[in-house]
Amino acid sequence: MKIVLAILVLALTRAEILQRMRSPVVRQADGLIKVYAHCPEDMRREFQQPIARFASETVGALYSSLSIKPVKFDNALIALYVGDVRTNDNTVITKVRDTQSGCRSNIYIFSPGYADLDRLRLEIVKAFFRAVKNEDISDETALKVYRRTDPKARIKEDRESLERWLKGEKGDDGADMDDEAYLKLLRKVLEPGKASRRDILVFASRHFLYPKTFDSPFLGRYHSISFRDAVSLAKKDYAIRLCAYDKASEMILFGGGRGELMSESSRLYWRFLIELAKYQKSEKELLSLLDEAESKLCQALEESQKTEQTE
């Protein structure tokens, strides 16, 4: 590499060398990125800013996806060098060196008009991890991390991961996710304003009441009862009404944020459970409230199935 650069420098005139030395350096991402133009002025005008913007947007997406607050850098740890080759050379290589400020990645783009942008993006992702997280990651990990900067890709990956876990399987993410992490993901609103078929089925699976303790079953024999069975049994066991009152807030918590039909259904279930806890309405009236909530949930399920079939 040094020999090649030396030959290229010797081939330049004194004026060309001075012109390149005086070319402005573009700073991006609060000083994390610097882009140098080791090329003639016409190439600098065409490529330096777009490459700087490409790098900055990649880094910005990583900050956002990884929930890392951007920080300012006095010394750039990602340096991109725009070369002067005009032929179809798509080579992009990185040289890494340790500095007092941290691990600096020097990324060389030989022919900016023909550079492999996928390769360039991966090198920027890897450089970001060296600089910001002090980690050296593989190409495979870098690709996976970058894919998650796309909200749609991230949602799709999370849903697929959940499905594997629910089936008792684990993919590549199993190494750093335990059951508690999956349960947290299961409760999370992955796509605000939209309910998937799985979201609705999980919500429906919560439509049971459980005693406060396992050794105190309802009426001395029921360790769980459905909402519908609770309507007739609640008059016989006051504990059922107390559990219904506690369950009501759970309906809002796990049903909200997932679209209009799902939210409306969760509110109707909440109302049913509150009325069940009060037990001032007749069984027929309580069942009517439950039917209304179930009908709305069925509508939400039908809508989710139609949406998923068209995607």
Side-chain angles (χ1 to χ4, degrees):
M1 170 62 70
K2 292 182 178 179
I3 295 175
V4 172
L5 290 176
I7 293 172
L8 291 175
V9 169
L10 290 174
L12 298 175
T13 66
R14 182 174 181 277
E16 288 172 329
I17 294 173
L18 291 174
Q19 185 270 325
R20 295 189 185 190
M21 290 177 62
R22 293 170 181 169
S23 65
V25 178
V26 177
R27 291 171 59 91
Q28 296 283 340
D30 293 321
L32 173 61
I33 299 168
K34 278 188 177 181
V35 182
Y36 300 85
H38 287 184
C39 56
E41 186 175 358
D42 64 319
M43 294 183 72
R44 174 178 63 79
R45 289 197 303 267
E46 184 177 359
F47 295 112
Q48 189 179 27
Q49 283 290 350
I51 288 174
R53 187 163 55 251
F54 178 86
S56 179
E57 289 174 353
T58 300
V59 164
L62 291 169
Y63 273 131
S64 178
S65 175
L66 298 169
S67 299
I68 298 175
K69 184 179 180 180
V71 297
K72 291 186 177 181
F73 287 81
D74 294 328
N75 298 300
L77 293 180
I78 302 178
L80 294 100
Y81 296 88
V82 182
D84 60 0
V85 179
R86 298 179 187 269
T87 57
N88 58 344
D89 183 352
N90 66 358
T91 304
V92 176
I93 64 171
T94 299
K95 297 293 183 180
V96 180
R97 67 183 182 88
D98 292 324
T99 69
Q100 291 183 344
S101 302
C103 189
R104 177 181 169 112
S105 302
N106 296 319
I107 303 173
Y108 298 92
I109 307 162
F110 292 93
S111 179
Y114 296 91
D116 183 340
L117 295 183
D118 290 335
R119 181 74 254 169
L120 176 58
R121 185 183 290 112
L122 282 186
E123 294 299 337
I124 293 170
V125 172
K126 294 167 71 174
F128 175 89
F129 268 73
R130 295 187 196 103
V132 177
K133 295 177 67 67
N134 196 29
E135 295 179 19
D136 199 4
I137 62 175
S138 65
D139 285 358
E140 183 180 4
T141 301
L143 180 59
K144 183 177 180 180
V145 167
Y146 182 74
R147 281 176 177 166
R148 289 187 64 81
T149 64
D150 178 354
K152 289 185 178 180
R154 184 167 64 249
I155 291 167
K156 183 175 183 292
E157 185 176 298
D158 284 342
R159 292 202 187 283
E160 290 174 348
S161 179
L162 273 175
E163 289 300 320
R164 289 195 298 269
W165 176 71
L166 289 168
K167 293 176 182 176
E169 305 170 357
K170 285 192 177 182
D172 296 335
D173 50 1
D176 55 1
M177 285 186 68
D178 55 18
D179 287 340
E180 184 58 37
Y182 280 110
L183 286 170
K184 184 177 180 181
L185 188 61
L186 190 66
R187 297 188 292 267
K188 183 180 178 182
V189 178
L190 295 177
E191 196 169 0
K194 181 179 178 181
S196 70
R197 180 175 178 274
R198 176 58 66 185
D199 291 333
I200 295 170
L201 292 178
V202 170
F203 179 72
S205 73
R206 301 181 187 279
H207 297 173
F208 289 85
L209 297 178
Y210 301 91
K212 293 292 185 182
T213 58
F214 188 76
D215 60 353
S216 301
F218 297 130
L219 295 170
R221 62 182 184 276
Y222 297 112
H223 291 288
S224 69
I225 55 174
S226 68
F227 285 178
R228 191 164 293 276
D229 289 339
V231 172
S232 60
L233 296 176
K235 63 184 175 184
K236 302 176 184 179
D237 191 338
Y238 188 75
I240 294 175
R241 293 165 59 187
L242 290 176
C243 288
Y245 180 79
D246 292 338
K247 190 78 171 183
S249 59
E250 185 179 308
M251 293 295 97
I252 298 297
L253 177 64
F254 293 110
R258 293 178 168 88
E260 184 177 346
L261 287 173
M262 184 78 164
S263 294
E264 179 61 22
S265 176
S266 69
R267 287 193 293 269
L268 290 170
Y269 276 109
W270 174 86
R271 183 186 172 198
F272 159 74
L273 290 168
I274 292 297
E275 293 297 338
L276 178 63
K278 293 178 182 179
Y279 215 77
Q280 295 175 355
K281 294 184 180 294
S282 67
E283 289 187 22
K284 183 177 180 181
E285 289 174 319
L286 290 172
L287 289 172
S288 178
L289 291 174
L290 181 58
D291 289 340
E292 189 179 1
E294 290 180 346
S295 175
K296 191 66 67 173
L297 189 62
C298 287
Q299 290 179 43
L301 181 60
E302 290 174 4
E303 183 181 81
S304 71
Q305 291 174 330
K306 290 178 182 177
T307 301
E308 290 177 7
Q309 286 173 359
T310 57
E311 290 181 345

